[in-house]
C-alpha cells in the first residue's frame, strides 16, 4: 500500500514544524513535508492548512506566495485539514482588519467581545441569573477547553465527546450554514470550533498542542477516506 503524502502549506505563517512533528508522530508511515510552491501542493494526497497571526498578514502572504489558487483547487478534491487561522481563512471575511478570506465556506470570522454573552459554562445557565452577564473575558482565549462533538465525523473517531483541546485565539468562525459545525466549545458562550463538509475538516484549536487527543485527530485525518 502506497504511503500517503501530506503537504503542510508553507506561506510564511504558522507553527509549521510543530505541526509536522505531530503529524510524523501520529502517522509515521506517511510522507510529511512543507510545501511552499504550487507543485508541492498539487503532488500531495492530503493537505494540512495551518495559520497563525493576524488575518490580513496571513491572507497577504498566502496571495503573494502564489498558493491561494492551489489551496482552492485542493479544497475541491483532496482531504484538507484547516488549523487555527487556517480554519478561519476558509470563510468569507474576518473582522480582523476587514480582511477578505478564501470564501470556501459561507460565513464570517468574529472577535470575542471581552465579556460574557448569554450563557456560562455551568450547564448553559443564563449569565444574568448568577450575576456574570458583565464579567469580562480575557482575550485571547488561551488554554484548554472541552470540545463538544455536535455530529459524527470520521475525524472524531476514538476521541471522547467533551475531550479537552488547546486553544489560542481572539477570533472564531460564525458559519452561515449551521450544518457546517461539527464541534463547539464554551468561552463566555458557545462558539463553533470545528467545521466539516465533504473533503474538508477544520478546527480552531491546535491538535499539535493537544496531547493524545490531538495526535489521534491527526491520525484520523491521515486515515480518513472521503
Amino acid at each position: 500500500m502506497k504511503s500517503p503524502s501530506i503537504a503542510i502549506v508553507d506561506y510564511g505563517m504558522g507553527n509549521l514544524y510543530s505541526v509536522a512533528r505531530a503529524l510524523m508522530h501520529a502517522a509515521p508511515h506517511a510522507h510529511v513535508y512543507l510545501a511552499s510552491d504550487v507543485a508541492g501542493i498539487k503532488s500531495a494526497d492530503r493537505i494540512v492548512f495551518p495559520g497563525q497571526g493576524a488575518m490580513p498578514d496571513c491572507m497577504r502572504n498566502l496571495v503573494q506566495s502564489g498558493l491561494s489558487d492551489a489551496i482552492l483547487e485542493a479544497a475541491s478534491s483532496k482531504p484538507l485539514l484547516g488549523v487555527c487561522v487556517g480554519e478561519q481563512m476558509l470563510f468569507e471575511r474576518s473582522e480582523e482588519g476587514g480582511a477578505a478570506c478564501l470564501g470556501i465556506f459561507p460565513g464570517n470570522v468574529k472577535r470575542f467581545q471581552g465579556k460574557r454573552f448569554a450563557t456560562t459554562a455551568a450547564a448553559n445557565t443564563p449569565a444574568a441569573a448568577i450575576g456574570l452577564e458583565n464579567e469580562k473575558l480575557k482575550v485571547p482565549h488561551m488554554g484548554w477547553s472541552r470540545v463538544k462533538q455536535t455530529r459524527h465525523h470520521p475525524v472524531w473517531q476514538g476521541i471522547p465527546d467533551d475531550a479537552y483541546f488547546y486553544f489560542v485565539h481572539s477570533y472564531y468562525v460564525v458559519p452561515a450554514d449551521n450544518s457546517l459545525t461539527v464541534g463547539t466549545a464554551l468561552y463566555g458562550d458557545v462558539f463553533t470550533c470545528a467545521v466539516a463538509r465533504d473533503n474538508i475538516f477544520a478546527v480552531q484549536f491546535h491538535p499539535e498542542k493537544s496531547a493524545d487527543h490531538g495526535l489521534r485527530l491527526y491520525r484520523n485525518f491521515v486515515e480518513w477516506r472521503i
Side-chain angles (χ1 to χ4, degrees), residues 117-181:
F117 303 158
T119 60
T120 74
N124 290 334
T125 303
I130 53 177
L132 292 177
E133 69 272 22
N134 293 317
E135 182 185 358
K136 291 188 179 297
L137 292 176
K138 292 181 179 179
V139 180
H141 169 212
M142 183 180 300
W144 296 86
S145 291
R146 292 181 184 272
V147 171
K148 177 71 177 176
Q149 299 170 21
T150 58
R151 65 178 170 89
H152 171 76
H153 193 280
V155 179
W156 289 137
Q157 181 69 33
I159 299 172
D161 194 16
D162 288 325
Y164 280 97
F165 287 87
Y166 191 81
F167 290 79
V168 182
H169 64 124
S170 300
Y171 294 81
Y172 61 98
V173 301
V174 181
D177 179 357
N178 290 334
S179 70
L180 288 169
T181 300

Side-chain angles (χ1 to χ4, degrees), residues 92-107:
E92 294 173 296
R93 185 168 292 275
S94 175
E95 286 186 347
E96 189 172 19
C101 304
L102 292 172
I104 295 170
F105 290 153

